Amino acid sequence: MSTLEIKDLQVSVETEDGPKEILKGVTLTINDGETHAIMGPNGSGKSTTAYAIAGHPKYTITGGSVTLDGKDLLEMSPDERARAGLFLAMQYPVEVPGVSMANFLRTAKTALDGEAPKLRTWVKDVNGALDRMNLDPAFSQRSVNEGFSGGEKKRAEIAQLDLLDPKVAILDEIDSGLDIDALKVVSDGINAFASREGKGVLLITHYTRILRYVKPDFVHVFVDGRIAESGGEELAEELEANGYAKYIGAAV
Amino acid sequence: MTAVDTSLDSIKQSLELDKVESHLHPEGSFDLAAHPVPTGREEIWRFTPLKRLRDLHTEAAFGGTLDITEQLAEGINVSDDASGLLGVSGFVPTDRIAARVANAAHGTALYEIPAETVIEDASVIIVRGTGVEQAVAQHVVVKAGRFSQATVVFHFEGSATLADNVEIVVEDGAQLTVVTIDDWADDAVHVGHRHVKVGRDATFKHIEVTFGGDVVRSDTTAEYSGPGGSVELLGLYFADAGQHIEHRLFVDHTAPKTKSHVVYKGALQGHGAHTVWIGNVLIRKVAEGIETYEENRNLVLTDGCQADSVPNLEIETGEIEGAGHASAVGRFDDEQLFYLRSRGIPESEARRLVVHGFFNDLIRQIGVGDLEEKLTATVEAELAKNVLNNEKDNA
Ligand SMILES: Nc1ncnc2c1ncn2[C@@H]1O[C@H](COP(=O)(O)OP(=O)(O)OP(=O)(O)O)[C@@H](O)[C@H]1O
Ligand SMILES: [Mg+2]
């Protein structure tokens, strides 16, 4: 079972001119086996939603709640949230020089499971996950994200999703910077994850392109820090045809 | 981390081709009278806490002793008298402490690798201080004969007030690696000078590791006696509360087609931890077609630390292959920590990973037997002192 419940989430960031309100009440529930897509124009607060749920220190929660299977995520540190079953694929994955992917993945897996993975099967698992993302096994010896191309970073995020096997995955613009072949590979990875028992996916994207390969159960249009409209797959098609103009007009 | 990188282009623009004298190259002298007692306002002393030098810079008597244990590989010759070799590397004291050591003729030793002798195993010299009350002066010469290959490790430990001059001669075609490990007890004071003369097509690699001591200040200077020589200076340091660790480097490109590669990385933790890195490179008019790169990075792990980093590149010829430098002082990167933590890794573990990563690429360049493993373990031990405790303060 896994239910991510976001209720009236309000978030601000600290700026030079004092706190700035970015999320103005986001409400969204992701149930078992559901894939939700969030779409919206630049600066509408999509990444803020993802980071706030994952516990990035830059964002201050000013109201609302987020629970995973009834447990209050907002009370937890970022690593506790991950251990509770949350995963965030970042729009811009961070480089960690000098720390090999192998070391990083083993440390993460150990932290999540409370025990070190079995050495023999683990190496195979890592190589398998890399291979499914068309990444050479040599990637496990490279420093985390360092010198990876934009597309390689995104594929490495999905390889992590595969290995770390969370309950709920938030994927922030996983499709940006991918060519069509990489997009298919990444989509296959997301679909493989989503088809596992009791998983939830929140797919944040700017474009409908990826939705041809990853079929969302729900689509939400994000504008100016809140959800302006929710619907099914057809909403994505409408956005494809008409863009965000209608919502932006309404927001002004 | 914010980095200040200077590319070749901008250096070329700032060329002063008509320049002859460089401030990086002060006149030296063996005459003690030429070196007045420093006040602390001098450029070369302004970072150093003179009061904590136990009068090494004034007139502390040299009467102390060291316990020296030599684990020498077969093929290296040792003699306990190098007094006739004063200045053999071209070294001329440019500060009072070096001049005092040169005049003291207190302890002296010569380690010599005969020409064309290739020695696989490292020779390890363990220098153990026996107390801080009586200062010690040491003059040591390491001579690598033509086409020889060897590694010499100086491992300092215990308590001492030590001033030493180490002269290193790498003859034509030789390859010498010297490792200096300052693993002192908390009360040690060590002011060291190392000067190397690198022969034609010779290679010198210095690995300097500084963890212990109250004040450790080291000057490492290099010059070339022929074209094609290469110098690699790698440094790793870790300053804890109250420690002063100062590295001053000067590579004098005195011959064409020579190379220098300098990378120093340090971490600081605890109140009053202070590190200084001065990286001077001079490219002389004759030194056409040289390549140089110098880099210093500091990772400040807690509040109350101070890292000074001053790279200095002076170029007197426009005909160079490449020149660059980078210097940075940074704190833990929140984004890195968040990324690791978002994968379930607890904060203390995430910090450890980041610090290991910071040092790792340097440790990988060392290439001396089991030293890499030992250093990784030492970094681990240093981290256990503070970074983990610090997490509680931040929680
Ligand atoms: N530290 C900050 N200081 C000021 N404004 C900020 C800060 N961080 C985010 N913002 C603002 O918050 C708003 C939402 O940003 P967010 O990154 O969540 O948008 P997004 O929907 O993910 O956009 P994109 O499609 O470009 O990724 C933007 O207007 C952004 O400028
Ligand atoms: Mg975004």
Side-chain angles (χ1 to χ4, degrees):
Chain A
M1 194 197 79
S2 59
T3 305
L4 182 71
E5 209 168 357
I6 307 162
K7 271 194 200 145
D8 194 29
L9 184 64
Q10 294 159 46
V11 173
S12 68
V13 291
E14 209 49 58
T15 71
E16 276 160 25
D17 319 318
K20 176 182 168 192
E21 190 186 27
I22 297 175
L23 296 191
K24 300 167 181 171
V26 175
T27 299
L28 178 64
T29 300
I30 299 170
N31 292 304
D32 257 17
E34 290 179 356
T35 296
H36 291 239
I38 287 184
M39 304 191 65
N42 291 133
S44 55
K46 304 183 297 296
S47 293
T48 302
T49 306
Y51 276 127
I53 295 170
H56 193 291
K58 195 172 92 178
Y59 301 94
T60 312
I61 313 286
T62 53
S65 68
V66 181
T67 58
L68 179 56
D69 293 339
K71 280 182 269 176
D72 183 0
L73 285 186
L74 302 182
E75 279 288 294
M76 302 180 195
S77 67
D79 44 295
E80 286 169 341
R81 297 180 200 204
R83 294 198 292 276
L86 188 73
F87 179 90
L88 169 62
M90 288 178 210
Q91 187 172 357
Y92 304 105
V94 181
E95 301 188 357
V96 191
V99 177
S100 69
M101 286 293 282
N103 187 7
F104 163 61
L105 290 169
R106 187 169 16 82
T107 308
K109 189 69 176 170
T110 305
L112 291 168
D113 292 0
E115 59 175 356
K118 300 269 172 300
L119 200 63
R120 262 187 31 243
T121 49
W122 176 245
V123 173
K124 244 190 257 162
D125 289 349
V126 170
N127 289 340
L130 292 174
D131 188 54
R132 280 188 285 284
M133 285 300 112
N134 273 352
L135 294 168
D136 195 272
F139 268 79
S140 64
Q141 292 316 310
R142 292 179 59 181
S143 293
V144 174
N145 292 320
E146 195 182 37
F148 292 17
S149 72
E152 286 166 351
K153 282 181 182 164
K154 297 307 177 79
R155 284 182 277 152
E157 295 284 283
I158 298 303
Q160 290 176 43
L161 173 67
D162 181 356
L163 285 165
L164 302 181
D165 194 33
K167 290 178 178 171
V168 174
I170 302 177
L171 310 173
D172 190 4
E173 303 219 8
I174 196 71
D175 51 335
S176 69
L178 296 181
D179 61 30
I180 188 68
D181 294 330
L183 183 70
K184 284 179 188 163
V185 165
V186 160
S187 299
D188 286 346
I190 298 169
N191 289 329
F193 171 76
S195 66
R196 291 179 194 167
E197 184 70 30
K199 306 293 184 187
V201 175
L202 181 59
L203 185 70
I204 296 174
T205 180
H206 200 79
Y207 306 102
T208 48
R209 194 176 63 142
I210 192 171
L211 302 182
R212 277 178 235 144
Y213 304 100
V214 178
K215 291 293 171 197
D217 302 297
F218 301 93
V219 174
H220 311 277
V221 185
F222 222 83
V223 182
D224 192 27
R226 41 168 81 87
I227 293 174
E229 193 176 349
S230 295
E233 221 188 307
E234 72 291 342
L235 186 52
E237 282 150 30
E238 193 197 314
L239 288 171
E240 171 93 347
N242 303 324
Y244 299 112
K246 153 180 155 193
Y247 303 102
I248 295 172
V252 170
Chain B
M1 268 200 236
T2 50
V4 186
D5 290 301
T6 311
S7 67
L8 181 55
D9 282 351
S10 64
I11 292 163
K12 272 191 169 155
Q13 281 163 14
S14 64
L15 279 186
E16 294 171 72
L17 288 166
D18 55 347
K19 199 152 183 197
V20 199
E21 274 295 311
S22 164
H23 80 277
L24 295 181
H25 198 256
E27 257 331 273
S29 170
F30 281 98
D31 181 8
L32 193 56
H35 301 282
V37 173
T39 62
R41 288 188 294 274
E42 298 81 358
E43 179 58 32
I44 62 165
W45 290 110
R46 69 187 179 99
F47 292 107
T48 313
L50 291 176
K51 285 203 188 83
R52 285 156 65 188
L53 292 185
R54 302 202 183 103
D55 290 326
L56 285 174
H57 63 299
T58 60
E59 49 202 12
F62 292 124
T65 54
L66 299 169
D67 260 346
I68 295 175
T69 314
E70 289 162 341
Q71 300 161 357
L72 301 181
E74 199 165 320
I76 186 167
N77 298 325
V78 58
S79 141
D80 59 5
D81 186 8
S83 51
L85 295 173
L86 199 62
V88 67
S89 66
F91 177 64
V92 183
T94 55
D95 69 53
R96 183 173 169 88
I97 296 180
R100 292 195 68 223
V101 173
N103 282 285
H106 185 188
T108 124
L110 165 67
Y111 300 94
E112 186 163 18
I113 302 106
E116 293 179 35
T117 305
V118 175
I119 305 175
E120 285 290 325
D121 293 335
S123 295
V124 182
I125 296 130
I126 298 168
V127 180
R128 188 170 180 81
T130 56
V132 299
E133 296 74 23
Q134 287 264 26
V136 183
Q138 280 275 312
H139 177 241
V140 175
V141 176
V142 181
K143 235 177 130 176
R146 289 168 64 110
F147 302 108
S148 66
Q149 290 178 24
T151 298
V152 179
V153 180
F154 292 95
H155 191 131
F156 295 98
E157 55 188 49
S159 297
T161 301
L162 172 65
D164 63 350
N165 294 345
V166 179
E167 296 198 61
I168 301 163
V169 179
V170 190
E171 292 185 347
D172 294 354
Q175 296 176 19
L176 178 68
T177 298
V178 172
V179 182
T180 306
I181 302 174
D182 277 277
D183 187 17
W184 296 107
D186 288 345
D187 57 354
V189 170
H190 182 192
V191 178
H193 289 79
R194 250 163 262 112
H195 185 82
V196 60
K197 178 150 77 181
V198 179
R200 184 184 186 103
D201 299 329
T203 300
F204 174 65
K205 184 169 182 172
H206 186 228
I207 295 148
E208 180 163 36
V209 182
T210 313
F211 285 105
D214 177 44
V215 179
V216 175
R217 172 179 153 131
S218 75
D219 267 77
T220 304
T221 49
E223 63 177 277
Y224 302 83
S225 57
S230 164
V231 167
E232 189 174 12
L233 307 177
L234 303 178
L236 190 162
Y237 50 93
F238 212 124
D240 291 324
Q243 257 188 311
H244 178 91
I245 295 179
E246 179 167 351
H247 295 109
R248 312 180 65 90
L249 309 162
F250 176 42
V251 179
D252 193 353
H253 280 275
T254 44
K257 299 272 177 203
T258 49
K259 282 187 189 161
S260 62
H261 184 83
V262 179
V263 181
Y264 270 64
K265 285 190 160 194
L268 298 86
Q269 61 181 3
H271 192 76
H274 187 198
T275 64
V276 179
W277 183 86
I278 312 288
N280 290 330
V281 174
L282 171 60
I283 303 167
R284 305 220 182 194
K285 265 213 175 68
V286 296
E288 295 192 348
I290 68 103
E291 272 175 58
T292 178
Y293 178 73
E294 51 167 352
E295 173 181 339
N296 174 233
R297 294 190 189 278
N298 297 285
L299 186 56
V300 175
L301 303 178
T302 68
D303 288 338
C305 306
Q306 164 92 14
D308 292 297
S309 179
V310 189
N312 234 316
L313 188 52
E314 212 162 302
I315 307 179
E316 295 180 347
T317 172
E319 304 300 315
I320 52 181
E321 279 294 310
H325 61 151
S327 156
V329 178
R331 303 192 135 264
F332 266 124
D333 183 333
D334 283 344
E335 298 302 323
Q336 288 179 353
L337 289 178
F338 175 70
Y339 187 77
L340 297 171
R341 295 181 72 188
S342 77
R343 300 305 185 245
I345 299 171
E347 181 170 13
S348 56
E349 190 76 18
R351 284 170 178 267
R352 283 226 307 260
L353 276 178
V354 170
V355 178
H356 275 297
F358 175 74
F359 283 123
N360 259 349
D361 63 331
L362 180 70
I363 290 176
R364 276 199 295 257
Q365 292 175 47
I366 286 175
V368 178
D370 55 354
L371 185 61
E372 299 182 13
E373 249 167 67
K374 272 191 199 147
L375 284 182
T376 306
T378 313
V379 168
E380 185 72 35
E382 286 291 323
L383 284 174
K385 281 189 202 166
N386 203 317
V387 174
L388 305 182
N389 303 339
N390 184 53
E391 179 204 4
K392 290 178 202 123
D393 305 343
N394 289 351

PDB file of all heavy atoms in Angstrom, chain B residues 39 55 130 310:
ATOM      1  N   THR B  39      59.030  40.613  12.708  1.00  0.00           N
ATOM      2  CA  THR B  39      58.062  41.241  13.609  1.00  0.00           C
ATOM      3  C   THR B  39      56.674  40.639  13.427  1.00  0.00           C
ATOM      4  O   THR B  39      55.803  40.803  14.274  1.00  0.00           O
ATOM      5  CB  THR B  39      57.939  42.734  13.288  1.00  0.00           C
ATOM      6  OG1 THR B  39      57.453  42.857  11.940  1.00  0.00           O
ATOM      7  CG2 THR B  39      59.273  43.453  13.412  1.00  0.00           C
ATOM      8  N   ASP B  55      60.198  30.620  19.887  1.00  0.00           N
ATOM      9  CA  ASP B  55      61.454  31.339  19.625  1.00  0.00           C
ATOM     10  C   ASP B  55      62.334  30.723  18.544  1.00  0.00           C
ATOM     11  O   ASP B  55      63.509  31.054  18.441  1.00  0.00           O
ATOM     12  CB  ASP B  55      62.268  31.521  20.918  1.00  0.00           C
ATOM     13  CG  ASP B  55      61.596  32.523  21.852  1.00  0.00           C
ATOM     14  OD1 ASP B  55      60.988  33.484  21.312  1.00  0.00           O
ATOM     15  OD2 ASP B  55      61.652  32.330  23.078  1.00  0.00           O
ATOM     16  N   THR B 130      60.859  13.972  21.012  1.00  0.00           N
ATOM     17  CA  THR B 130      60.951  13.455  22.382  1.00  0.00           C
ATOM     18  C   THR B 130      60.567  14.504  23.414  1.00  0.00           C
ATOM     19  O   THR B 130      60.755  14.328  24.602  1.00  0.00           O
ATOM     20  CB  THR B 130      62.381  12.967  22.674  1.00  0.00           C
ATOM     21  OG1 THR B 130      63.286  14.059  22.430  1.00  0.00           O
ATOM     22  CG2 THR B 130      62.761  11.807  21.781  1.00  0.00           C
ATOM     23  N   VAL B 310      46.307  31.820  -1.327  1.00  0.00           N
ATOM     24  CA  VAL B 310      46.835  32.877  -2.199  1.00  0.00           C
ATOM     25  C   VAL B 310      47.677  32.285  -3.328  1.00  0.00           C
ATOM     26  O   VAL B 310      48.844  31.970  -3.138  1.00  0.00           O
ATOM     27  CB  VAL B 310      47.727  33.860  -1.391  1.00  0.00           C
ATOM     28  CG1 VAL B 310      48.088  35.064  -2.255  1.00  0.00           C
ATOM     29  CG2 VAL B 310      47.063  34.282  -0.091  1.00  0.00           C
TER      30      VAL B 310
END
